[in-house]
Amino acid sequence: MTHVNLVVVIPSLNPDEKTVDYVYRLVALGFRDIIVVNDGSSKEYDHYFDVLSGMPECTVLKHAVNLGKGRAIKTGLNYFLNHYDRSEYLGVVTADSDGQHSPEDTMRVALKLVEDKNSLVLGIRDFNDPLVPAKHRKGSKITTAVFALLYSKIIKDALTGLRGLPYDFAATCLQLPGEGFDYEIGMLITAVREKRVIVEEKIQTIYYNNNDESHFKPVVDSIKIYALMFKTFVKYSLVSVFSFLIDISLCGYRVNSV
């Protein structure tokens, strides 16, 4: 059993026994600080959160209504930054609660962050695996291509929920826009713009029931994701153009003055 000075943040909406089992197994592997955010789940799921609340290693936070995965992650990050001292904790690992991440892979991402303390660590799935539903394979490859086109960075699994965030980057991410799945894309854009090293750690590709339990809405969430990518690209492109024009103007002024 390995003890790591990282906190696991798990956004959760309408969980099942897989979530409870996942947290138990995380504890068995050596995680001692786990934050689960109940993102406005229906009351019929309260007993799962009650079980988790009874675990000394687990803190359960609750949204009164469903606010989205991005907001749930930010709620977890806010609690982390307020309750865990930087001198004792390296950062956080975010993970999904629907069974797509194995505890062993979560530990692998955590240990990679311990090894590369200032990097953003991404747990990367293999979308060529025959277990991956066709719609997810196609969607992931399109997202990867668009992100590479706009930000000159190839990220093989841009929507992975298994991520290792250094302490300072967790603080930065708390301030990012986005309430849903688009928030995680914003995280990647910020990392690229900061020139932060992004480490891709290969993990298992796990899908249950053709991923029918996922709360990702293909049309609505995809529109938000691509809108954020294009809007941010245009925003910073315009800033670069204006900066260039100002520099040229100042340079011309100096020449004329001489």
Side-chain angles (χ1 to χ4, degrees):
M1 184 172 68
T2 303
H3 174 61
V4 291
N5 55 343
L6 292 163
V7 176
V8 181
V9 172
I10 305 173
S12 183
L13 174 64
N14 299 337
D16 57 22
E17 63 279 354
K18 290 195 296 293
T19 305
V20 175
D21 179 64
Y22 176 60
V23 173
Y24 272 121
R25 291 170 64 193
L26 288 178
V27 172
L29 284 176
F31 288 101
R32 289 291 174 266
D33 301 277
I34 300 167
I35 300 169
V36 176
V37 182
N38 175 358
D39 186 26
S41 300
S42 302
K43 287 192 175 296
E44 63 191 271
Y45 299 93
D46 281 353
H47 62 285
Y48 294 115
F49 294 108
D50 291 340
V51 173
L52 295 172
S53 296
M55 300 174 62
E57 300 86 358
C58 189
T59 298
V60 175
L61 309 177
K62 183 178 182 180
H63 290 166
V65 296
N66 177 236
L67 296 176
K69 184 183 182 183
R71 173 53 59 183
I73 292 174
K74 284 188 273 190
T75 294
L77 294 181
N78 184 66
Y79 187 91
F80 163 73
L81 293 166
N82 278 324
H83 292 85
Y84 295 89
D85 193 87
R86 184 179 192 141
S87 63
E88 299 179 22
Y89 289 84
L90 290 175
V92 304
V93 175
T94 65
D96 295 342
S97 67
D98 57 4
Q100 285 199 32
H101 304 142
S102 74
E104 292 77 17
D105 282 335
T106 307
M107 179 59 79
R108 288 180 63 193
V109 168
L111 293 178
K112 181 59 69 172
L113 181 57
V114 172
E115 180 183 331
D116 299 298
K117 294 179 174 57
N118 296 311
S119 301
L120 169 61
V121 182
L122 303 178
I124 302 298
R125 296 163 290 183
D126 179 8
F127 283 94
N128 291 317
D129 190 306
L131 292 175
V132 178
K135 61 180 180 180
H136 293 289
R137 182 184 300 112
K138 183 177 180 181
S140 176
K141 290 185 176 182
I142 291 174
T143 302
T144 293
V146 172
F147 193 94
L149 176 66
L150 297 178
Y151 298 100
S152 302
K153 178 70 175 179
I154 296 176
I155 296 177
K156 297 175 184 176
D157 188 358
L159 294 179
T160 179
L162 186 55
R163 305 175 177 211
L165 316 180
Y167 199 106
D168 66 319
F169 191 59
T172 297
C173 290
L174 183 58
Q175 305 173 64
L176 298 179
E179 304 297 296
F181 291 89
D182 53 324
Y183 171 72
E184 292 176 305
I185 287 292
M187 213 185 266
L188 299 182
I189 294 172
T190 300
V192 170
R193 295 198 69 253
E194 286 185 352
K195 295 181 170 56
R196 185 176 294 273
V197 174
I198 298 176
V199 177
E200 296 183 321
E201 182 73 10
K202 188 174 180 180
I203 62 173
Q204 299 176 67
T205 305
I206 303 172
Y207 282 94
Y208 291 99
N209 302 321
N210 205 39
N211 206 34
D212 291 337
E213 297 176 4
S214 173
H215 300 290
F216 184 86
K217 301 178 181 64
V219 176
V220 175
D221 289 321
S222 293
I223 289 173
K224 290 180 180 178
I225 287 168
Y226 295 128
L228 178 64
M229 284 197 283
F230 282 104
K231 181 174 73 174
T232 307
F233 174 76
V234 170
K235 174 184 175 182
Y236 288 108
S237 294
L238 289 176
V239 169
S240 297
V241 169
F242 283 129
S243 297
F244 173 76
L245 292 175
I246 291 171
D247 288 342
I248 291 296
S249 299
L250 291 175
C251 181
Y253 173 77
R254 293 192 197 99
V255 172
N256 291 332
S257 297
V258 172

